[in-house]
Amino acid sequence: MGGKVTEEQEEALIGEDGRPRFGLYPRPLTRYNLKDFRPYGKKGPPSSARRFWMKYRLKQWQFLGLVNQDLIFGLAVVRLGYLCNLFAYLFERPNRQLFRWDLISPGGKAASFQGTSEKGEILFRKGETQILIRSRPSTIHLTGSIQKGLRVDLTFHREAEPLICLTRIGLKGFNYTHKEAGLPVHGTIAYQDLSLNIEAASAFGVLDYTLGLPGRETFWNWAAGGGRDKQGNRIGFNLVQGINETGFTENAFWVNGRLVKTDVADFRYDDLEPLKPWRIASNDGRVRLCFFPEGARSADIQGGLIISRFRQPFGRFEGTLTDGATLIELDKAAGFTEEHFAKW
């Protein structure tokens, strides 16, 4: 019989056997003890060469988004080991005008990730750009500016139960993700000569924090967003296919912060014209959504051994959710979908 599992072990990403602790968790893991990671099929700790390989294979990012009736905003700090990048965009929904900011920096020095998804800091600094994401158990504070063209000061209130998922990727990889959606957000966004006040009652935030060793070739679809149902309840949702589907999934929705888990999801859309309507449904019938794109951010990278094809439409969601007892009809909901293919 094994000994008693300590609190420290319960909070660790990597178990005592050196392997990731795959599963769903009710709260964020707080020890990213990657130095204890043992490659599949290997005995003992990784060699110095293997640790060097892992450093450049590790993928880590945080995406923060918000939607309301007037705008859709997204920002991400991404570190891929051999390069890091920052992107942000703001979409004015009434006139369908898109503003975007993109920076890529070779190597990993422009972006630093300290701490965890629950309590930590992410900093991207390059030239006149500085973005800081400070995470605490009850809030996420996003501040900074990008190339003097965008200034943000936003607070995301973590009033939703977190979705914490650690899954196997192929035979040797793993992926840890922390998702929350439908969060109240308040603060300011300034760009051009405009300054927008974001009010928590009418804004809905999305969090995606991911850390892992995905496959050399990776594909996924993702959908997330928030809004109100016809009874006025605060709704959020997060759905994916193509990744985090081995043993456990990250598919769920939230009603006034209460997490409702769902089965695997199916995405139907026109790959030649991704701005046509999408259909997204879960296998257990709990999710039946229609997505109507209003715009999109796209980015392609192709250089040497690296290929990335990224499409992130954003717009309006309609449809129904159910927890098995209550049918929830979306009234005013918006958010993001995504198609991403990468060789990295």
Side-chain angles (χ1 to χ4, degrees), residues 137-302:
S138 60
T139 60
I140 302 170
H141 194 194
L142 168 63
T143 58
S145 61
I146 302 178
Q147 299 172 330
K148 294 185 177 180
L150 173 71
R151 298 184 305 280
V152 292
D153 187 350
L154 296 170
T155 300
F156 293 69
H157 297 271
R158 310 181 86 162
E159 297 181 1
E161 298 176 49
L163 172 61
I164 310 298
C165 183
L166 177 54
T167 60
R168 182 187 299 275
I169 302 294
L171 185 63
K172 299 181 179 181
F174 68 88
N175 200 63
Y176 172 78
T177 192
H178 177 164
K179 302 291 176 67
E180 300 174 30
L183 306 177
V185 186
H186 83 272
T188 59
I189 301 175
Y191 65 104
Q192 304 290 314
D193 295 322
L194 299 175
S195 181
L196 305 178
N197 290 320
I198 308 301
E199 298 181 356
S202 57
F204 305 87
V206 168
L207 160 68
D208 172 4
Y209 184 103
T210 295
L211 166 68
L213 289 174
R216 167 78 175 106
E217 185 172 304
T218 304
F219 159 80
W220 67 72
N221 288 127
W222 175 62
R228 300 280 182 186
D229 68 3
K230 291 190 175 181
Q231 282 67 48
N233 296 303
R234 179 175 284 270
I235 304 297
F237 49 88
N238 182 90
L239 302 157
V240 73
Q241 75 172 3
I243 195 170
N244 293 336
E245 294 182 316
T246 304
F248 311 93
T249 78
E250 59 168 271
N251 297 319
F253 63 88
W254 290 262
V255 182
N256 294 326
R258 177 176 62 90
L259 176 68
V260 179
K261 196 71 181 62
T262 73
D263 200 356
V264 294
D266 179 50
F267 287 61
R268 303 289 179 94
Y269 60 99
D270 190 328
D271 60 306
L272 299 178
E273 297 187 57
L275 293 185
K276 287 185 175 181
W278 295 41
R279 300 288 185 270
I280 305 168
S282 64
N283 190 52
D284 57 10
R286 292 193 168 196
V287 175
R288 292 286 184 269
L289 297 180
C290 298
F291 172 64
F292 301 92
E294 298 172 8
R297 176 190 179 271
S298 300
D300 292 335
I301 299 174
Q302 185 160 354

Side-chain angles (χ1 to χ4, degrees), residues 66-75 88-101 150 189 191 194 196 198 275 291-297 312-316 334-336:
L66 78 85
V67 299
N68 64 22
Q69 291 301 298
D70 298 316
L71 65 87
I72 297 175
F73 172 80
L75 180 146
Y89 61 83
L90 187 145
F91 180 70
E92 296 178 346
R93 299 183 71 186
N95 58 21
R96 300 205 169 191
Q97 186 170 2
L98 176 66
F99 300 87
R100 57 181 292 175
W101 300 265
L150 173 71
I189 301 175
Y191 65 104
L194 299 175
L196 305 178
I198 308 301
L275 293 185
F291 172 64
F292 301 92
E294 298 172 8
R297 176 190 179 271
Q312 191 175 81
F314 36 78
R316 185 178 87 257
F336 315 85

Side-chain angles (χ1 to χ4, degrees), residues 19 31 36 66 79-80 84 121 176 190 212 233 266 305 324:
R19 301 297 298 147
R31 288 185 60 230
D36 298 327
L66 78 85
R79 186 173 63 184
L80 304 180
C84 53
E121 294 186 354
Y176 172 78
N233 296 303
D266 179 50
L305 299 175

